[in-house]
Amino acid sequence: MALGAPDPQDEEAGARVLADALLVTSELVTNAIRHGDGLTAFDLWITDDGLILTVADASTCPPVTTDPRSRLKGQVGGFGWPLVCRLARHVAVTVLPDGKQITVLISRTPPA
């Protein structure tokens, strides 16, 4: 490989991290709108550790996971929260007086 040429493995890893970040962002914002009585705050920081994303909504109810074994026929949803937890390196849910805030850290490098 020529000096200075992009490493295809680095590009692939970067694309996976970007896809993970977009998926987690979409999931959290969609859930705030659909299940959390509306999006009340959205913040994003890029640090040496990765992307820190904070999404707040107006509901104090925690995120819900649906057990696949107890799903009703035709039931949709319930997969987003486990997906967020799997893709993020750190997840925190903070209950606030007027809702909740979810903060996630998405690593800048994909898991090994």
Side-chain angles (χ1 to χ4, degrees):
M1 186 179 312
L3 183 63
D7 182 346
Q9 289 181 333
D10 285 347
E11 288 181 16
E12 182 179 320
R16 283 197 326 252
V17 168
L18 178 59
D20 290 352
L22 291 172
L23 184 56
V24 168
T25 302
S26 175
E27 187 63 37
L28 291 176
V29 170
T30 298
N31 284 349
I33 293 167
R34 291 184 71 195
H35 308 293
D37 298 328
L39 183 69
T40 59
F42 178 92
D43 288 302
L44 178 73
W45 300 274
I46 297 175
T47 69
D48 290 339
D49 290 330
L51 173 83
I52 299 173
L53 172 67
T54 300
V55 174
D57 63 43
S59 171
T60 57
C61 297
V64 174
T65 301
T66 302
D67 183 346
R69 295 169 296 192
S70 63
R71 295 177 67 80
L72 301 173
K73 184 176 181 177
Q75 182 179 355
V76 296
F79 297 106
W81 183 244
L83 186 64
V84 167
C85 293
R86 182 177 178 147
L87 294 176
R89 191 167 91 194
H90 174 78
V91 178
V93 179
T94 306
V95 177
L96 305 170
D98 58 348
K100 70 178 165 296
Q101 173 180 292
I102 299 175
T103 302
V104 298
L105 170 62
I106 300 174
S107 180
R108 293 178 72 173
T109 57

